[in-house]
Amino acid sequence: MLPALEAELKQKTLPDPYEVFMYHHLQYYGYFKVKFPRKKEATHSFPCPLADSFMLSSSLLRSRLFLHDDFGEVNPCLREPQDLFAFYSCSGQLQVPRWPIECEVIKESIHHIEGVPPQPEYFYQPTGNEKIPEIVGEEKGTIVYQLDSVPTKGSYFTSSRVGGKRGVIKELAVTLQGPEDNTLLFESRFESGNLQKAVKVDTYEYELTLRTDLYTNKHTQWFYFRVQNTRKDATYRFTIVNLLKPKSLYTIGMKPLMYSQLDANTYNIGWRREGNEIKYYKNNTDNGQQSFYCLTWTIQFPHDQDTCFFAHFYPYTYTDLQCYLMSVAKNPVQSQFCKLRTLCRSLAGNTVYLLTITNPSQTTQEAAAKKAVVLSARVHPGESNGSWIMKGFLDFILSNSPDAELLRDIFVFKVIPMLNPDGVIVGNYRCSLAGRDLNRHYKTILKESFPCIWHTRNMIKRLLEEREVLLYCDFHGHSRKNNIFLYGCNSHNRKYWLHERVFPFMLSKNVPDKFSFHSCNFKVQKCKEGTGRVVMWRMGILNSYTMESTFGGSTLGNKRDTHFTTEDLKSLGYHVCDTLLDFCDPDRTKFMQCLVELKELLQKEIYKKFNELGQDTDLERSWNDISFSDIESSTCGSDSSLSDGLPVQLLNIAHELHHKKKIYKKKKKKPLQTRKQRNEQYQKNNMIRELKSKEDALKRPGFASTMQKQPSFLKYSENVSSSTVKNERPRMNESQLNGRDKGISLDPSKATSYILTKNKERKQTEKPGFACSSKRSTNTGKEPDPDTKPYWSRNRFLATKRGHTTMAGYPSLHIYTFP
């Protein structure tokens, strides 16, 4: 025990009554069973100081709240309570990733430097003479690496723990017979690693089998593994034999990535594109169920006895994210406007982080006037390009740049940098530990099975109640197309015709050598109804996008036929911020110019489409009535276009929840909890009774002259209710109930519509500049009728920046949401 503590205990003569009570309390319930040695002269039954010391150091004390010193002794003071909503504790330790209990994990820590290639890395140019090796298999080859007990289809996730599988980690690599043995030593049991088996079929030739996504039998695309015991002058050939996609960027010049540990330590060289004789082809071996495809390439290692890594794309792990967020949390400046919170816990218990980025507002009105921007990444764990774009965005928005400060002044950014940490940790390509593609289940009601996306959707739903969400964007990777592009949703409201295309069109102008507007698509398909892009759009976010960044490179401008680097992707994160400023510029010149150019581009596409069909049309007369469904192609460019449905073990749970939800909706009646609510309900019911009585009175013969004055008004009120209330049912507040005309004969829904129109001028006179309530209806899936004008001012959100000139307001290009 510490000397100071011993001296303090020796000076103590009488025990603390509360401690004595707690000792007896713990002993009574069986949490402490040690009998204390007592002094002979003691006449009371209280434990002596020696007993206190013995108790604190006892291993039988089951509390985890006591602190330990460096010598293993107990320090008799409680730990600081855990902060339920904060990000990191004061200790600043990283949260160790949790793995499924079936996964073996090596103890080594894998870390890579971020080196930038000194020269552009050009695509591989096929010669047509590339060798197509015959698949030999383990019957004729030698297995040099193979994972055991990997969960596949038919099994499901049960539990997790830090470090994965219990017990001693097996040595899966072969044992070298001596210094002359040139067999490569493979390993992939580290974070984001993926390699199931390696078979040596010749001296320098290996066949590799990738591990499918856990608890599935498909989704083989992402690979990331380590090799050791290399030879410098030899030409090695690697062939991956169980890929599932019939098309790949490897067919048009994409190269694998290689990382040399010696080059990184000596020359500060990071990941680089390497490989020759690259060929992507169909595997002739057929298992009778599905076709496999092969990727083969040759490589010469730069050093003898080197440790090298191969990957499908630049890895970005869960630990990498935590290190970055820890640096933000410890930064005294950035932590003032970036709040790091826990959105939820994943299936395995890993933290899903939520960042709220905005400058503190001086007034509540200024805070309520801010619009929101929601960004997310890594819902597909094998698409690490999304994390690099997200890192570039965070680097800029957290900087001291004037543009970054302006964005933080006028927006509230909600950022989820890694939606699927479990999949990232275990090295999945597409799925979570539920064995399903999360980007097809945003409509799920299974909170416990899909916690990450359930809480994301719920967070955005609450956010829409507080403020308008200007933009939603989910960062992804694409395995079949080059360049970077967006998928959006066509607006059905002709008032905002082509508005959803303005942001990607501006982005293509700001990044002409990386972003391709021609590759963008805005078709909403039935198979994509469960994606984040479509679900958020139906919740009322007009500018709802999926950003697709290629695993390959660019075919545009100065970067034509070159691979993307991490710096290229991070620069796109900056350009997202830059384009956001252009998009919300109070001077609408850029916005209107983009609309004009978009109309011209679309007109050319329509003419081209009709010419292909051999039809003629007059676009000047029916321009706004043209449907885009037949013009745009399908967005089914992924290997998981169709949802696999729920796993078998979740079908009954989902059915029961749907059944309970229907019963709950029938029985649900909102309770009145306060006197104010009861008074409002009483006034509302009393008003309805008065209106009905007036209506009955007007039908009597004595009121014929009165009825002659009513038809025009009734016709007007019916038009208002049919155009507004049918889509949006505005909530009646107290001022509307007290200020209505009691001589009007209307039913409640028509009365509400009339009140909104009748009080338009009066409300704008009473509250100039802030006529919109901060609370918004969550039922924004249907947009307002274009003939119905909202009663608030369009430039209601005035962005006032400290130290900057006052902005006039946002352009009136966004969705109008009735309060």
Side-chain angles (χ1 to χ4, degrees), residues 715-766:
K715 182 177 181 181
Y716 169 74
S717 63
E718 289 177 358
N719 292 337
V720 175
S721 66
S722 63
S723 62
T724 304
V725 180
K726 183 177 287 187
N727 291 338
E728 298 281 347
R729 295 188 178 274
R731 193 177 296 173
M732 292 187 292
N733 56 36
E734 189 174 359
S735 62
Q736 290 172 336
L737 289 170
N738 294 336
R740 66 174 65 254
D741 189 348
K742 296 184 179 181
I744 296 172
S745 173
L746 286 174
D747 66 325
S749 61
K750 294 180 180 179
T752 305
S753 302
Y754 174 69
I755 292 168
L756 290 175
T757 309
K758 188 76 175 177
N759 293 339
K760 172 182 176 181
E761 297 179 359
R762 179 174 62 82
K763 282 188 173 291
Q764 290 181 349
T765 304
E766 292 176 356

Side-chain angles (χ1 to χ4, degrees), residues 162-197:
V162 173
K165 191 174 183 179
R166 295 180 182 273
V168 180
I169 302 300
K170 299 179 182 178
E171 291 292 338
L172 299 183
V174 296
T175 303
L176 298 179
Q177 301 302 317
E180 300 300 325
D181 191 346
N182 55 11
T183 302
L184 291 179
L185 304 179
F186 291 83
E187 185 59 82
S188 67
R189 293 172 297 173
F190 47 81
E191 196 172 347
S192 295
N194 188 315
L195 181 66
Q196 171 73 32
K197 183 171 61 175

Side-chain angles (χ1 to χ4, degrees), residues 271-528:
W271 289 96
R272 56 194 180 192
R273 301 283 180 170
E274 292 289 350
N276 288 302
E277 299 185 44
I278 301 172
K279 184 72 175 180
Y280 192 89
Y281 60 98
K282 187 175 181 179
N283 188 344
N284 295 326
T285 304
D286 192 357
N287 64 354
Q289 296 180 351
Q290 56 186 346
S291 299
F292 290 110
Y293 295 83
C294 298
L295 170 66
T296 185
W297 74 95
T298 61
I299 191 74
Q300 288 186 340
F301 293 108
H303 305 284
D304 287 328
Q305 300 298 326
D306 194 4
T307 297
C308 293
F309 295 82
F310 289 95
H312 180 59
F313 200 73
Y314 299 95
Y316 192 94
T317 65
Y318 183 63
T319 300
D320 292 334
L321 173 68
Q322 290 199 103
C323 290
Y324 181 84
L325 295 183
M326 177 178 285
S327 67
V328 174
K330 291 184 176 181
N331 188 304
V333 177
Q334 294 177 345
S335 59
Q336 296 299 314
F337 51 77
C338 178
K339 303 302 179 184
L340 309 176
R341 295 293 183 264
T342 297
L343 176 68
C344 65
R345 298 281 181 175
S346 65
L347 274 181
N350 294 298
T351 302
V352 180
Y353 296 109
L354 172 66
L355 287 71
T356 302
I357 304 172
T358 188
N359 281 341
S361 303
Q362 295 180 343
T363 63
T364 55
Q365 290 80 5
E366 182 182 344
K370 291 183 177 181
K371 298 183 182 181
V373 173
V374 180
L375 302 175
S376 62
R378 296 303 286 277
V379 68
H380 293 152
E383 298 172 358
S384 57
N385 6 22
S387 285
W388 291 107
I389 296 177
M390 180 65 76
K391 187 175 187 300
F393 166 80
L394 292 174
D395 285 343
F396 178 77
I397 201 65
L398 297 176
S399 68
N400 58 0
S401 166
D403 286 345
E405 291 186 15
L406 179 59
L407 284 170
R408 296 195 300 265
D409 276 340
I410 60 180
F411 289 114
V412 175
F413 292 92
K414 294 286 186 177
V415 181
I416 309 172
M418 193 169 286
L419 273 167
N420 189 356
D422 294 348
V424 173
I425 290 169
V426 302
N428 278 3
Y429 172 61
R430 196 84 184 178
C431 300
S432 70
L433 294 184
R436 291 297 181 268
D437 182 351
L438 294 182
N439 201 35
R440 298 296 182 272
H441 290 275
Y442 269 91
K443 298 168 69 175
T444 186
I445 61 173
L446 299 177
K447 176 182 177 181
E448 303 299 329
S449 301
F450 304 100
C452 308
I453 55 173
W454 190 94
H455 283 278
T456 298
R457 185 190 64 197
N458 196 47
M459 180 272 294
I460 296 177
K461 183 178 179 180
R462 295 197 309 269
L463 187 63
L464 282 166
E465 295 176 358
E466 300 173 1
R467 62 186 79 247
E468 178 183 347
V469 178
L470 175 66
L471 182 139
Y472 165 86
C473 190
D474 190 19
F475 298 150
H476 285 249
H478 206 281
S479 64
R480 303 186 187 186
K481 293 182 181 179
N482 279 312
N483 306 313
I484 302 171
F485 47 94
L486 286 174
Y487 289 149
C489 302
N490 281 320
S491 176
H492 299 315
N493 191 339
R494 295 305 175 185
K495 185 175 182 180
Y496 306 107
W497 187 60
L498 298 180
H499 282 197
E500 73 280 350
R501 303 176 182 232
V502 173
F503 182 83
F505 192 68
M506 287 182 171
L507 191 56
S508 68
K509 289 181 173 293
N510 290 336
V511 202
D513 58 347
K514 300 184 186 73
F515 191 90
S516 171
F517 182 78
H518 177 73
S519 298
C520 295
N521 199 298
F522 301 87
K523 189 173 184 178
V524 178
Q525 299 169 269
K526 187 176 181 179
C527 64
K528 299 299 180 73

